[in-house]
Amino acid sequence: MRIVVDLNRCQSYGQCVYFAPTVFRFHGELQEAGLEYDYTPSDDLQTQVRWAAATCPVQAISLEDRETSTKRTTQQTQKDGGS
Amino acid sequence: MSAPHSTSMRGATNGHVVIVGASLAGLRAAETLRQEGFTGHLTLIGDEPHEPYDRPPLSKAVLTGWLAVEHTALPQRRTLEAEWLLGVPAAALDVPNRQVHLANGRRVGFDRLLIATGTRARPWADPEQAALDGVFTLRTRIDAARLRERLVAGPKRVLVIGGGFTGSEVASVCREMGLAVTLTERSATPLAGALGQAAGTFFLVLQRQHGVDLRCDTTVMALEGDSQGKLRRARLSDGDELDVEVAVVALGSLRNTEWLQGAGLAADARGVVCDGACRVFDANAVVTDDFFVAGDVARWPHPLYDGEFLMVEHWGNAVAQAETAAHNMLANSTTRRAHTSLPAFWSNQFGVNIRSVGLPPIADTIMVTQGSVNERRVVAVYGQRGRIVAAVAVNKPRSLPAYQAMIEAHTPFPPELHAADGPAELHLLPAGFPRRGQATHDAGAMPAGAGPSSPAPVPEGEARAWRDPRVPLGAPPLE
């Protein structure tokens, strides 16, 4: 799946780091030190990432459109299978 | 081929829209067009062979190795049903025939065009030295992958030329990786172009505490290679010679407008000029109906800053301007809206988060309003002629929305605040911005005069010296 975070909007509440710790992390020792994240987390983490997006207090996390995402996954599977 | 143009096309949700530039602004515009009901043919043209990806992590998480470069691909938040022409740049624009000419000879017709070609890294001033193995710029994911590979190999010393955001972030990554790094900056502090020398002093101390060999008021005079064309040495303006294997040239960016030369639109090295609704001006300063621009390459009048034309190279501006441009591509005179969002950016470096809102480079004065420099949680506001024009926060991301409201309300400076964590005494300092037009300053957001064809704000006689990053200037005057 694919995601993007508006880091101008992010206020380092850290809900996403709590729900999906392998996708989101803080850059430094302090929580305020700025968020880093994986734009293309594995589909296995979909539930975690959806929780993260839903609970973000400033709604800074956007997800890929489901139809596009499904299409991409199908194409990827076909490509991987064919090579 | 292009459909014949007719004025009845305007405001329509069909026809052929071409977006030149397939990065953040191009993608967001495409999403907005579909979201707002555009059902016609949509084509995106991009010079890079990749689908849209995000650039901010390239100098941070990608360079440290936490994020693989392939993991920066941006999501499509709407189904786009678009035609993607990737890996070939646009070479020319034929306005009368409404065609984009691609570098491979192909011609793509359109009814309405969005220009979102962005910027590229400013190369090192000497082409032979720039071609040495070990000399890098950092703008694309290919640049980032190559530089990462070289840093992992463990060079004895990395030289970073230019202490703007990109240069400072690269230096931060080098220190995180345990590499020796020298950073040269032509003005008195890092980040002086974006935040001024007063705020830059904070980052000067921060960089030195993290072990950067920071040399301010210093330039690189020459990069020298060995017989195999590998970078070996750098000669600095302070007389020192450094043995370096890697040099990262971080001297700001150039706008990708060459393909518009002779097209009859108001476009030059400072960008493509448009009105507040993102409609491009032609060369006679007449606004066009079917040509739009968004993102780093745009120059537009901001109502909050006395109508001065701004050039803003921030992530948030690319998003907001692309959305407004796309909306206006489908709008009529009653539904059209202006792009008025405030410049805002963030950076993560040396363990701190920096946020800014507003336009710091026009400020004359700065003062700390919350927190303290020693605790590394601090907010400062910028004033220009008695009103607040910008704010910067270090490790205090939640404080900025309040300052944004003050900037938008033209609040007097110095402001009367009653913050619980405010300083006991208020100290006003000169903000200390370098002179405009100095090439080595990665200001990120800059005003650019009062009209579509106003000349570049650089004193003519000194223009060459200011523009050559190798020329040392000493501390620029405080303005």
Side-chain angles (χ1 to χ4, degrees), chain B residues 119-155:
Chain B
T119 62
R120 62 183 182 277
R122 183 192 302 275
W124 180 239
D126 181 311
E128 267 180 46
Q129 295 173 16
L132 289 171
D133 180 22
V135 179
F136 295 86
T137 54
L138 181 53
R139 174 77 191 168
T140 67
R141 48 180 272 187
I142 293 172
D143 295 339
R146 285 184 186 149
L147 179 56
R148 164 81 190 151
E149 193 182 305
R150 202 57 75 92
L151 296 184
V152 168

PDB file of all heavy atoms in Angstrom, chain B residues 119-155:
ATOM      1  N   THR B 119      12.253  22.424 -10.237  1.00  0.00           N
ATOM      2  CA  THR B 119      13.634  22.912 -10.251  1.00  0.00           C
ATOM      3  C   THR B 119      14.593  21.738 -10.343  1.00  0.00           C
ATOM      4  O   THR B 119      14.190  20.584 -10.200  1.00  0.00           O
ATOM      5  CB  THR B 119      13.958  23.690  -8.964  1.00  0.00           C
ATOM      6  OG1 THR B 119      13.815  22.795  -7.862  1.00  0.00           O
ATOM      7  CG2 THR B 119      13.049  24.880  -8.766  1.00  0.00           C
ATOM      8  N   ARG B 120      15.839  22.051 -10.590  1.00  0.00           N
ATOM      9  CA  ARG B 120      16.896  21.037 -10.524  1.00  0.00           C
ATOM     10  C   ARG B 120      18.013  21.603  -9.655  1.00  0.00           C
ATOM     11  O   ARG B 120      18.032  22.806  -9.375  1.00  0.00           O
ATOM     12  CB  ARG B 120      17.407  20.697 -11.924  1.00  0.00           C
ATOM     13  CG  ARG B 120      18.037  21.880 -12.648  1.00  0.00           C
ATOM     14  CD  ARG B 120      18.454  21.502 -14.066  1.00  0.00           C
ATOM     15  NE  ARG B 120      19.107  22.604 -14.753  1.00  0.00           N
ATOM     16  CZ  ARG B 120      18.486  23.600 -15.375  1.00  0.00           C
ATOM     17  NH1 ARG B 120      17.153  23.630 -15.393  1.00  0.00           N
ATOM     18  NH2 ARG B 120      19.158  24.554 -15.968  1.00  0.00           N
ATOM     19  N   ALA B 121      18.936  20.727  -9.238  1.00  0.00           N
ATOM     20  CA  ALA B 121      20.026  21.196  -8.386  1.00  0.00           C
ATOM     21  C   ALA B 121      20.953  22.101  -9.186  1.00  0.00           C
ATOM     22  O   ALA B 121      21.275  21.802 -10.339  1.00  0.00           O
ATOM     23  CB  ALA B 121      20.801  20.006  -7.829  1.00  0.00           C
ATOM     24  N   ARG B 122      21.388  23.188  -8.578  1.00  0.00           N
ATOM     25  CA  ARG B 122      22.374  24.059  -9.229  1.00  0.00           C
ATOM     26  C   ARG B 122      23.708  23.317  -9.272  1.00  0.00           C
ATOM     27  O   ARG B 122      24.221  22.894  -8.230  1.00  0.00           O
ATOM     28  CB  ARG B 122      22.533  25.344  -8.413  1.00  0.00           C
ATOM     29  CG  ARG B 122      23.480  26.381  -9.030  1.00  0.00           C
ATOM     30  CD  ARG B 122      23.809  27.488  -8.032  1.00  0.00           C
ATOM     31  NE  ARG B 122      22.610  28.155  -7.564  1.00  0.00           N
ATOM     32  CZ  ARG B 122      22.005  29.164  -8.204  1.00  0.00           C
ATOM     33  NH1 ARG B 122      22.512  29.617  -9.320  1.00  0.00           N
ATOM     34  NH2 ARG B 122      20.915  29.701  -7.725  1.00  0.00           N
ATOM     35  N   PRO B 123      24.278  23.120 -10.456  1.00  0.00           N
ATOM     36  CA  PRO B 123      25.537  22.367 -10.513  1.00  0.00           C
ATOM     37  C   PRO B 123      26.713  23.219 -10.028  1.00  0.00           C
ATOM     38  O   PRO B 123      26.604  24.437  -9.926  1.00  0.00           O
ATOM     39  CB  PRO B 123      25.680  22.037 -12.005  1.00  0.00           C
ATOM     40  CG  PRO B 123      24.885  23.081 -12.723  1.00  0.00           C
ATOM     41  CD  PRO B 123      23.803  23.546 -11.775  1.00  0.00           C
ATOM     42  N   TRP B 124      27.828  22.569  -9.743  1.00  0.00           N
ATOM     43  CA  TRP B 124      29.062  23.271  -9.388  1.00  0.00           C
ATOM     44  C   TRP B 124      29.470  24.157 -10.558  1.00  0.00           C
ATOM     45  O   TRP B 124      29.298  23.797 -11.721  1.00  0.00           O
ATOM     46  CB  TRP B 124      30.151  22.253  -9.037  1.00  0.00           C
ATOM     47  CG  TRP B 124      31.460  22.886  -8.650  1.00  0.00           C
ATOM     48  CD1 TRP B 124      32.665  22.701  -9.251  1.00  0.00           C
ATOM     49  CD2 TRP B 124      31.671  23.800  -7.577  1.00  0.00           C
ATOM     50  NE1 TRP B 124      33.624  23.453  -8.612  1.00  0.00           N
ATOM     51  CE2 TRP B 124      33.036  24.146  -7.581  1.00  0.00           C
ATOM     52  CE3 TRP B 124      30.840  24.374  -6.609  1.00  0.00           C
ATOM     53  CZ2 TRP B 124      33.599  25.031  -6.669  1.00  0.00           C
ATOM     54  CZ3 TRP B 124      31.384  25.258  -5.694  1.00  0.00           C
ATOM     55  CH2 TRP B 124      32.754  25.577  -5.726  1.00  0.00           C
ATOM     56  N   ALA B 125      30.008  25.342 -10.242  1.00  0.00           N
ATOM     57  CA  ALA B 125      30.207  26.379 -11.251  1.00  0.00           C
ATOM     58  C   ALA B 125      31.201  25.989 -12.354  1.00  0.00           C
ATOM     59  O   ALA B 125      31.116  26.486 -13.470  1.00  0.00           O
ATOM     60  CB  ALA B 125      30.656  27.671 -10.565  1.00  0.00           C
ATOM     61  N   ASP B 126      32.156  25.114 -12.057  1.00  0.00           N
ATOM     62  CA  ASP B 126      33.141  24.707 -13.064  1.00  0.00           C
ATOM     63  C   ASP B 126      32.764  23.318 -13.593  1.00  0.00           C
ATOM     64  O   ASP B 126      32.817  22.335 -12.850  1.00  0.00           O
ATOM     65  CB  ASP B 126      34.537  24.673 -12.418  1.00  0.00           C
ATOM     66  CG  ASP B 126      35.631  24.272 -13.410  1.00  0.00           C
ATOM     67  OD1 ASP B 126      35.463  23.251 -14.126  1.00  0.00           O
ATOM     68  OD2 ASP B 126      36.648  24.968 -13.464  1.00  0.00           O
ATOM     69  N   PRO B 127      32.378  23.221 -14.861  1.00  0.00           N
ATOM     70  CA  PRO B 127      31.866  21.941 -15.382  1.00  0.00           C
ATOM     71  C   PRO B 127      32.878  20.795 -15.302  1.00  0.00           C
ATOM     72  O   PRO B 127      32.485  19.655 -15.026  1.00  0.00           O
ATOM     73  CB  PRO B 127      31.529  22.244 -16.844  1.00  0.00           C
ATOM     74  CG  PRO B 127      31.491  23.728 -16.964  1.00  0.00           C
ATOM     75  CD  PRO B 127      32.337  24.286 -15.863  1.00  0.00           C
ATOM     76  N   GLU B 128      34.161  21.082 -15.516  1.00  0.00           N
ATOM     77  CA  GLU B 128      35.157  20.001 -15.448  1.00  0.00           C
ATOM     78  C   GLU B 128      35.279  19.459 -14.033  1.00  0.00           C
ATOM     79  O   GLU B 128      35.365  18.259 -13.804  1.00  0.00           O
ATOM     80  CB  GLU B 128      36.518  20.511 -15.914  1.00  0.00           C
ATOM     81  CG  GLU B 128      36.752  20.275 -17.400  1.00  0.00           C
ATOM     82  CD  GLU B 128      38.109  20.803 -17.835  1.00  0.00           C
ATOM     83  OE1 GLU B 128      39.103  20.549 -17.130  1.00  0.00           O
ATOM     84  OE2 GLU B 128      38.151  21.489 -18.882  1.00  0.00           O
ATOM     85  N   GLN B 129      35.302  20.387 -13.070  1.00  0.00           N
ATOM     86  CA  GLN B 129      35.386  19.961 -11.668  1.00  0.00           C
ATOM     87  C   GLN B 129      34.103  19.247 -11.256  1.00  0.00           C
ATOM     88  O   GLN B 129      34.121  18.279 -10.505  1.00  0.00           O
ATOM     89  CB  GLN B 129      35.642  21.169 -10.772  1.00  0.00           C
ATOM     90  CG  GLN B 129      36.992  21.826 -11.036  1.00  0.00           C
ATOM     91  CD  GLN B 129      37.166  23.120 -10.253  1.00  0.00           C
ATOM     92  OE1 GLN B 129      36.433  23.392  -9.302  1.00  0.00           O
ATOM     93  NE2 GLN B 129      38.139  23.922 -10.652  1.00  0.00           N
ATOM     94  N   ALA B 130      32.982  19.720 -11.792  1.00  0.00           N
ATOM     95  CA  ALA B 130      31.696  19.115 -11.442  1.00  0.00           C
ATOM     96  C   ALA B 130      31.614  17.679 -11.929  1.00  0.00           C
ATOM     97  O   ALA B 130      30.898  16.855 -11.354  1.00  0.00           O
ATOM     98  CB  ALA B 130      30.550  19.933 -12.036  1.00  0.00           C
ATOM     99  N   ALA B 131      32.357  17.368 -13.004  1.00  0.00           N
ATOM    100  CA  ALA B 131      32.295  16.029 -13.594  1.00  0.00           C
ATOM    101  C   ALA B 131      33.201  15.022 -12.876  1.00  0.00           C
ATOM    102  O   ALA B 131      33.175  13.832 -13.178  1.00  0.00           O
ATOM    103  CB  ALA B 131      32.673  16.111 -15.073  1.00  0.00           C
ATOM    104  N   LEU B 132      34.005  15.470 -11.906  1.00  0.00           N
ATOM    105  CA  LEU B 132      34.897  14.544 -11.188  1.00  0.00           C
ATOM    106  C   LEU B 132      34.083  13.480 -10.465  1.00  0.00           C
ATOM    107  O   LEU B 132      33.002  13.752  -9.938  1.00  0.00           O
ATOM    108  CB  LEU B 132      35.743  15.308 -10.164  1.00  0.00           C
ATOM    109  CG  LEU B 132      36.840  16.227 -10.699  1.00  0.00           C
ATOM    110  CD1 LEU B 132      37.413  17.068  -9.552  1.00  0.00           C
ATOM    111  CD2 LEU B 132      37.945  15.393 -11.354  1.00  0.00           C
ATOM    112  N   ASP B 133      34.622  12.268 -10.455  1.00  0.00           N
ATOM    113  CA  ASP B 133      33.986  11.174  -9.734  1.00  0.00           C
ATOM    114  C   ASP B 133      34.058  11.482  -8.233  1.00  0.00           C
ATOM    115  O   ASP B 133      35.156  11.675  -7.706  1.00  0.00           O
ATOM    116  CB  ASP B 133      34.732   9.873 -10.064  1.00  0.00           C
ATOM    117  CG  ASP B 133      34.123   8.683  -9.353  1.00  0.00           C
ATOM    118  OD1 ASP B 133      32.944   8.765  -8.968  1.00  0.00           O
ATOM    119  OD2 ASP B 133      34.837   7.688  -9.180  1.00  0.00           O
ATOM    120  N   GLY B 134      32.923  11.568  -7.588  1.00  0.00           N
ATOM    121  CA  GLY B 134      32.900  11.924  -6.170  1.00  0.00           C
ATOM    122  C   GLY B 134      32.213  13.253  -5.914  1.00  0.00           C
ATOM    123  O   GLY B 134      31.976  13.603  -4.769  1.00  0.00           O
ATOM    124  N   VAL B 135      31.902  13.998  -6.986  1.00  0.00           N
ATOM    125  CA  VAL B 135      31.184  15.267  -6.827  1.00  0.00           C
ATOM    126  C   VAL B 135      29.696  15.007  -7.089  1.00  0.00           C
ATOM    127  O   VAL B 135      29.333  14.500  -8.156  1.00  0.00           O
ATOM    128  CB  VAL B 135      31.723  16.346  -7.795  1.00  0.00           C
ATOM    129  CG1 VAL B 135      30.936  17.647  -7.628  1.00  0.00           C
ATOM    130  CG2 VAL B 135      33.204  16.584  -7.540  1.00  0.00           C
ATOM    131  N   PHE B 136      28.862  15.347  -6.121  1.00  0.00           N
ATOM    132  CA  PHE B 136      27.442  15.033  -6.206  1.00  0.00           C
ATOM    133  C   PHE B 136      26.573  16.280  -6.037  1.00  0.00           C
ATOM    134  O   PHE B 136      26.963  17.234  -5.382  1.00  0.00           O
ATOM    135  CB  PHE B 136      27.036  14.059  -5.084  1.00  0.00           C
ATOM    136  CG  PHE B 136      27.676  12.707  -5.203  1.00  0.00           C
ATOM    137  CD1 PHE B 136      28.934  12.480  -4.678  1.00  0.00           C
ATOM    138  CD2 PHE B 136      27.013  11.674  -5.842  1.00  0.00           C
ATOM    139  CE1 PHE B 136      29.524  11.224  -4.794  1.00  0.00           C
ATOM    140  CE2 PHE B 136      27.598  10.422  -5.953  1.00  0.00           C
ATOM    141  CZ  PHE B 136      28.853  10.192  -5.427  1.00  0.00           C
ATOM    142  N   THR B 137      25.377  16.213  -6.636  1.00  0.00           N
ATOM    143  CA  THR B 137      24.295  17.096  -6.216  1.00  0.00           C
ATOM    144  C   THR B 137      23.184  16.171  -5.713  1.00  0.00           C
ATOM    145  O   THR B 137      23.244  14.957  -5.942  1.00  0.00           O
ATOM    146  CB  THR B 137      23.752  17.967  -7.367  1.00  0.00           C
ATOM    147  OG1 THR B 137      23.393  17.122  -8.455  1.00  0.00           O
ATOM    148  CG2 THR B 137      24.779  18.994  -7.826  1.00  0.00           C
ATOM    149  N   LEU B 138      22.180  16.733  -5.049  1.00  0.00           N
ATOM    150  CA  LEU B 138      21.133  15.877  -4.485  1.00  0.00           C
ATOM    151  C   LEU B 138      19.775  16.479  -4.783  1.00  0.00           C
ATOM    152  O   LEU B 138      19.375  17.477  -4.179  1.00  0.00           O
ATOM    153  CB  LEU B 138      21.352  15.729  -2.974  1.00  0.00           C
ATOM    154  CG  LEU B 138      20.357  14.854  -2.216  1.00  0.00           C
ATOM    155  CD1 LEU B 138      20.225  13.482  -2.838  1.00  0.00           C
ATOM    156  CD2 LEU B 138      20.768  14.726  -0.750  1.00  0.00           C
ATOM    157  N   ARG B 139      19.100  15.871  -5.762  1.00  0.00           N
ATOM    158  CA  ARG B 139      17.752  16.329  -6.094  1.00  0.00           C
ATOM    159  C   ARG B 139      16.831  15.161  -6.416  1.00  0.00           C
ATOM    160  O   ARG B 139      15.666  15.156  -6.058  1.00  0.00           O
ATOM    161  CB  ARG B 139      17.829  17.276  -7.301  1.00  0.00           C
ATOM    162  CG  ARG B 139      16.492  17.728  -7.868  1.00  0.00           C
ATOM    163  CD  ARG B 139      15.850  18.806  -7.021  1.00  0.00           C
ATOM    164  NE  ARG B 139      14.471  19.042  -7.427  1.00  0.00           N
ATOM    165  CZ  ARG B 139      13.593  19.760  -6.734  1.00  0.00           C
ATOM    166  NH1 ARG B 139      13.963  20.336  -5.606  1.00  0.00           N
ATOM    167  NH2 ARG B 139      12.363  19.916  -7.155  1.00  0.00           N
ATOM    168  N   THR B 140      17.372  14.140  -7.110  1.00  0.00           N
ATOM    169  CA  THR B 140      16.533  13.037  -7.567  1.00  0.00           C
ATOM    170  C   THR B 140      16.821  11.773  -6.763  1.00  0.00           C
ATOM    171  O   THR B 140      17.809  11.704  -6.026  1.00  0.00           O
ATOM    172  CB  THR B 140      16.824  12.713  -9.043  1.00  0.00           C
ATOM    173  OG1 THR B 140      18.152  12.187  -9.144  1.00  0.00           O
ATOM    174  CG2 THR B 140      16.721  13.964  -9.912  1.00  0.00           C
ATOM    175  N   ARG B 141      15.963  10.750  -6.950  1.00  0.00           N
ATOM    176  CA  ARG B 141      16.193   9.514  -6.206  1.00  0.00           C
ATOM    177  C   ARG B 141      17.454   8.813  -6.709  1.00  0.00           C
ATOM    178  O   ARG B 141      18.122   8.105  -5.948  1.00  0.00           O
ATOM    179  CB  ARG B 141      14.973   8.602  -6.212  1.00  0.00           C
ATOM    180  CG  ARG B 141      14.317   8.368  -7.547  1.00  0.00           C
ATOM    181  CD  ARG B 141      13.115   7.450  -7.404  1.00  0.00           C
ATOM    182  NE  ARG B 141      13.546   6.047  -7.513  1.00  0.00           N
ATOM    183  CZ  ARG B 141      12.715   5.029  -7.556  1.00  0.00           C
ATOM    184  NH1 ARG B 141      11.412   5.224  -7.470  1.00  0.00           N
ATOM    185  NH2 ARG B 141      13.157   3.798  -7.651  1.00  0.00           N
ATOM    186  N   ILE B 142      17.811   9.018  -7.977  1.00  0.00           N
ATOM    187  CA  ILE B 142      19.064   8.435  -8.489  1.00  0.00           C
ATOM    188  C   ILE B 142      20.261   9.103  -7.795  1.00  0.00           C
ATOM    189  O   ILE B 142      21.187   8.424  -7.354  1.00  0.00           O
ATOM    190  CB  ILE B 142      19.150   8.581 -10.029  1.00  0.00           C
ATOM    191  CG1 ILE B 142      18.068   7.706 -10.675  1.00  0.00           C
ATOM    192  CG2 ILE B 142      20.527   8.221 -10.556  1.00  0.00           C
ATOM    193  CD1 ILE B 142      17.905   7.875 -12.163  1.00  0.00           C
ATOM    194  N   ASP B 143      20.198  10.438  -7.657  1.00  0.00           N
ATOM    195  CA  ASP B 143      21.254  11.160  -6.917  1.00  0.00           C
ATOM    196  C   ASP B 143      21.400  10.580  -5.511  1.00  0.00           C
ATOM    197  O   ASP B 143      22.516  10.361  -5.025  1.00  0.00           O
ATOM    198  CB  ASP B 143      20.900  12.648  -6.732  1.00  0.00           C
ATOM    199  CG  ASP B 143      20.834  13.421  -8.038  1.00  0.00           C
ATOM    200  OD1 ASP B 143      21.419  12.980  -9.032  1.00  0.00           O
ATOM    201  OD2 ASP B 143      20.184  14.495  -8.039  1.00  0.00           O
ATOM    202  N   ALA B 144      20.260  10.371  -4.856  1.00  0.00           N
ATOM    203  CA  ALA B 144      20.285   9.917  -3.460  1.00  0.00           C
ATOM    204  C   ALA B 144      20.863   8.513  -3.360  1.00  0.00           C
ATOM    205  O   ALA B 144      21.664   8.224  -2.464  1.00  0.00           O
ATOM    206  CB  ALA B 144      18.880   9.954  -2.865  1.00  0.00           C
ATOM    207  N   ALA B 145      20.483   7.628  -4.282  1.00  0.00           N
ATOM    208  CA  ALA B 145      20.980   6.253  -4.244  1.00  0.00           C
ATOM    209  C   ALA B 145      22.495   6.229  -4.449  1.00  0.00           C
ATOM    210  O   ALA B 145      23.222   5.508  -3.759  1.00  0.00           O
ATOM    211  CB  ALA B 145      20.274   5.409  -5.305  1.00  0.00           C
ATOM    212  N   ARG B 146      22.974   7.053  -5.398  1.00  0.00           N
ATOM    213  CA  ARG B 146      24.421   7.092  -5.675  1.00  0.00           C
ATOM    214  C   ARG B 146      25.204   7.655  -4.498  1.00  0.00           C
ATOM    215  O   ARG B 146      26.249   7.139  -4.117  1.00  0.00           O
ATOM    216  CB  ARG B 146      24.700   7.966  -6.897  1.00  0.00           C
ATOM    217  CG  ARG B 146      24.340   7.285  -8.195  1.00  0.00           C
ATOM    218  CD  ARG B 146      24.734   8.177  -9.352  1.00  0.00           C
ATOM    219  NE  ARG B 146      24.269   7.610 -10.601  1.00  0.00           N
ATOM    220  CZ  ARG B 146      23.906   8.326 -11.657  1.00  0.00           C
ATOM    221  NH1 ARG B 146      23.971   9.640 -11.620  1.00  0.00           N
ATOM    222  NH2 ARG B 146      23.487   7.740 -12.758  1.00  0.00           N
ATOM    223  N   LEU B 147      24.689   8.715  -3.911  1.00  0.00           N
ATOM    224  CA  LEU B 147      25.390   9.330  -2.785  1.00  0.00           C
ATOM    225  C   LEU B 147      25.391   8.380  -1.586  1.00  0.00           C
ATOM    226  O   LEU B 147      26.415   8.228  -0.908  1.00  0.00           O
ATOM    227  CB  LEU B 147      24.734  10.670  -2.423  1.00  0.00           C
ATOM    228  CG  LEU B 147      25.339  11.427  -1.251  1.00  0.00           C
ATOM    229  CD1 LEU B 147      26.826  11.696  -1.452  1.00  0.00           C
ATOM    230  CD2 LEU B 147      24.592  12.753  -1.022  1.00  0.00           C
ATOM    231  N   ARG B 148      24.257   7.725  -1.353  1.00  0.00           N
ATOM    232  CA  ARG B 148      24.162   6.758  -0.260  1.00  0.00           C
ATOM    233  C   ARG B 148      25.238   5.672  -0.404  1.00  0.00           C
ATOM    234  O   ARG B 148      25.943   5.328   0.544  1.00  0.00           O
ATOM    235  CB  ARG B 148      22.757   6.138  -0.263  1.00  0.00           C
ATOM    236  CG  ARG B 148      22.589   4.866   0.540  1.00  0.00           C
ATOM    237  CD  ARG B 148      22.397   5.106   2.018  1.00  0.00           C
ATOM    238  NE  ARG B 148      22.484   3.861   2.772  1.00  0.00           N
ATOM    239  CZ  ARG B 148      22.899   3.756   4.021  1.00  0.00           C
ATOM    240  NH1 ARG B 148      23.271   4.833   4.680  1.00  0.00           N
ATOM    241  NH2 ARG B 148      22.946   2.608   4.645  1.00  0.00           N
ATOM    242  N   GLU B 149      25.358   5.148  -1.634  1.00  0.00           N
ATOM    243  CA  GLU B 149      26.334   4.095  -1.905  1.00  0.00           C
ATOM    244  C   GLU B 149      27.745   4.579  -1.546  1.00  0.00           C
ATOM    245  O   GLU B 149      28.533   3.864  -0.943  1.00  0.00           O
ATOM    246  CB  GLU B 149      26.236   3.763  -3.391  1.00  0.00           C
ATOM    247  CG  GLU B 149      26.931   2.504  -3.826  1.00  0.00           C
ATOM    248  CD  GLU B 149      26.792   2.342  -5.345  1.00  0.00           C
ATOM    249  OE1 GLU B 149      25.643   2.349  -5.835  1.00  0.00           O
ATOM    250  OE2 GLU B 149      27.823   2.248  -6.020  1.00  0.00           O
ATOM    251  N   ARG B 150      28.036   5.823  -1.902  1.00  0.00           N
ATOM    252  CA  ARG B 150      29.361   6.364  -1.661  1.00  0.00           C
ATOM    253  C   ARG B 150      29.612   6.618  -0.168  1.00  0.00           C
ATOM    254  O   ARG B 150      30.721   6.439   0.334  1.00  0.00           O
ATOM    255  CB  ARG B 150      29.554   7.648  -2.472  1.00  0.00           C
ATOM    256  CG  ARG B 150      30.991   8.015  -2.733  1.00  0.00           C
ATOM    257  CD  ARG B 150      31.768   6.916  -3.445  1.00  0.00           C
ATOM    258  NE  ARG B 150      31.413   6.840  -4.852  1.00  0.00           N
ATOM    259  CZ  ARG B 150      32.059   7.499  -5.805  1.00  0.00           C
ATOM    260  NH1 ARG B 150      33.104   8.246  -5.514  1.00  0.00           N
ATOM    261  NH2 ARG B 150      31.679   7.379  -7.053  1.00  0.00           N
ATOM    262  N   LEU B 151      28.570   7.036   0.548  1.00  0.00           N
ATOM    263  CA  LEU B 151      28.734   7.279   1.991  1.00  0.00           C
ATOM    264  C   LEU B 151      28.931   5.967   2.738  1.00  0.00           C
ATOM    265  O   LEU B 151      29.710   5.886   3.684  1.00  0.00           O
ATOM    266  CB  LEU B 151      27.526   8.038   2.556  1.00  0.00           C
ATOM    267  CG  LEU B 151      27.285   9.457   2.022  1.00  0.00           C
ATOM    268  CD1 LEU B 151      26.115  10.102   2.755  1.00  0.00           C
ATOM    269  CD2 LEU B 151      28.528  10.335   2.145  1.00  0.00           C
ATOM    270  N   VAL B 152      28.216   4.935   2.299  1.00  0.00           N
ATOM    271  CA  VAL B 152      28.343   3.620   2.940  1.00  0.00           C
ATOM    272  C   VAL B 152      29.761   3.083   2.790  1.00  0.00           C
ATOM    273  O   VAL B 152      30.276   2.400   3.670  1.00  0.00           O
ATOM    274  CB  VAL B 152      27.312   2.628   2.332  1.00  0.00           C
ATOM    275  CG1 VAL B 152      27.608   1.210   2.766  1.00  0.00           C
ATOM    276  CG2 VAL B 152      25.902   3.018   2.744  1.00  0.00           C
ATOM    277  N   ALA B 153      30.426   3.425   1.671  1.00  0.00           N
ATOM    278  CA  ALA B 153      31.795   2.955   1.438  1.00  0.00           C
ATOM    279  C   ALA B 153      32.797   3.557   2.429  1.00  0.00           C
ATOM    280  O   ALA B 153      33.948   3.140   2.478  1.00  0.00           O
ATOM    281  CB  ALA B 153      32.214   3.274   0.000  1.00  0.00           C
ATOM    282  N   GLY B 154      32.344   4.564   3.223  1.00  0.00           N
ATOM    283  CA  GLY B 154      33.190   5.107   4.280  1.00  0.00           C
ATOM    284  C   GLY B 154      34.292   6.031   3.827  1.00  0.00           C
ATOM    285  O   GLY B 154      35.479   5.776   4.098  1.00  0.00           O
ATOM    286  N   PRO B 155      33.964   7.117   3.125  1.00  0.00           N
ATOM    287  CA  PRO B 155      35.006   8.069   2.715  1.00  0.00           C
ATOM    288  C   PRO B 155      35.673   8.700   3.946  1.00  0.00           C
ATOM    289  O   PRO B 155      35.044   8.815   4.997  1.00  0.00           O
ATOM    290  CB  PRO B 155      34.229   9.123   1.921  1.00  0.00           C
ATOM    291  CG  PRO B 155      32.822   9.023   2.409  1.00  0.00           C
ATOM    292  CD  PRO B 155      32.608   7.591   2.784  1.00  0.00           C
TER     293      PRO B 155
END
